[in-house]
Amino acid sequence: MKFAAIFWDNDGTLVDTEPAYFRATQEVLKKHDITLTHEWYANEQLKKGRSAFDLAREQGLSEGAILLMRKERDELYLNFLNTEVRVIDGVRPTLQFLHGKIPMGIVTTSDRVHFTQIMEATQLGQYFDFFITGGDVLHVKPDPEPYLKAWEQSGLPKEACLVIEDTERGLIAAKAAGLTCFVIPNELSKNNDFSKADRILKNVEELLNYL
């Protein structure tokens, strides 16, 4: 294989959890008469890495109030994950084919508790050698720290490592870490700027043509 390790994003790349995360955030903000649109979420959060709770700050809510809102959102999202986790089409057979042939890790911004629930619900964790979650780093995507941590853990040259992402902020993080990045856009991220991607794939199964 051309690459010796693959670092996968999770939400929106392996599992279709972004709609549930959006809905949980939207419902909590709505209680405070704050509207979160798909356009804002795609352009500000998925592209730039902003928090939807910036909308609450702009309305003058205190950091204490936002902390409570975030806690409520996280609990609601966890409830959604109990029933709404769907593995993206083509992911499972692709991982099954690659498992044992190439080391793989997941690099995600998700909290460990949410990530653990996703892995338990999908049983995808068996295909991976390591996981890096939002709580394992000081700075999350679009900062390069998560992918630099993955690269360091691999012990391989950067040119031997491939990142699979679905958002602009993830792409920015991967390229800032000096890594090759293939992007698989989804419905929420399709209008992100992927001009810096090494390849843009139509689906995950297409990946096997380039390994």
Side-chain angles (χ1 to χ4, degrees):
M1 288 189 176
K2 177 181 178 181
F3 298 98
I6 303 176
F7 309 145
W8 295 80
D9 171 59
N10 186 53
D11 300 283
T13 301
L14 297 174
V15 289
D16 187 24
T17 51
E18 289 287 5
Y21 190 79
F22 170 83
R23 184 155 61 92
T25 308
Q26 185 183 51
E27 288 188 14
V28 170
L29 288 172
K30 187 177 180 180
K31 292 181 180 180
H32 296 267
D33 297 320
I34 299 170
T35 300
L36 175 63
T37 65
H38 282 92
E39 182 181 14
W40 193 98
Y41 186 78
N43 291 331
E44 300 298 326
Q45 185 148 330
L46 296 185
K47 286 182 69 173
K48 303 175 184 177
R50 290 184 64 190
S51 166
F53 292 108
D54 286 346
L55 294 171
R57 293 185 178 91
E58 291 170 3
Q59 295 296 320
L61 274 73
S62 69
E63 291 302 316
I66 291 172
L67 184 62
L68 291 174
M69 293 168 66
R70 189 185 296 276
K71 182 179 180 182
E72 183 181 0
R73 188 276 312 279
D74 289 349
E75 291 174 351
L76 184 58
Y77 178 50
L78 189 60
N79 288 336
F80 288 163
L81 290 179
N82 289 327
T83 57
E84 298 186 16
V85 179
R86 184 184 72 84
V87 178
I88 290 173
D89 293 344
V91 163
R92 198 179 298 276
T94 299
L95 295 179
Q96 288 173 341
F97 176 81
L98 294 173
H99 182 57
K101 296 181 175 69
I102 185 170
M104 297 189 290
I106 294 179
V107 182
T108 177
T109 301
S110 292
D111 292 336
R112 176 67 67 164
V113 64
H114 294 144
F115 177 73
T116 299
Q117 175 59 32
I118 292 168
M119 290 298 105
E120 289 179 354
T122 62
Q123 295 297 303
L124 290 183
Q126 63 183 307
Y127 302 115
F128 296 93
D129 299 281
F130 66 88
F131 311 111
I132 295 173
T133 67
D136 298 323
V137 293
L138 294 177
H139 306 286
V140 297
K141 307 170 192 178
D143 192 279
E145 183 185 353
Y147 282 121
L148 287 172
K149 188 177 181 72
W151 163 65
E152 290 170 356
Q153 189 160 329
S154 75
L156 295 165
K158 287 187 176 181
E159 59 269 22
C161 301
L162 173 65
V163 171
I164 309 297
E165 269 286 351
D166 72 304
T167 65
E168 185 176 337
R169 68 177 175 180
L171 169 63
I172 291 171
K175 298 310 293 181
L179 302 174
T180 300
C181 184
F182 292 0
V183 171
I184 309 172
N186 56 44
E187 190 61 29
L188 277 172
S189 68
K190 63 183 180 181
N191 293 322
N192 284 197
D193 179 4
F194 295 130
S195 59
K196 294 182 179 179
D198 293 279
R199 288 192 184 277
I200 299 176
L201 307 180
K202 295 179 181 178
N203 54 64
V204 68
E205 292 163 313
E206 190 180 350
L207 168 66
L208 300 180
N209 296 329
Y210 301 104
L211 297 179

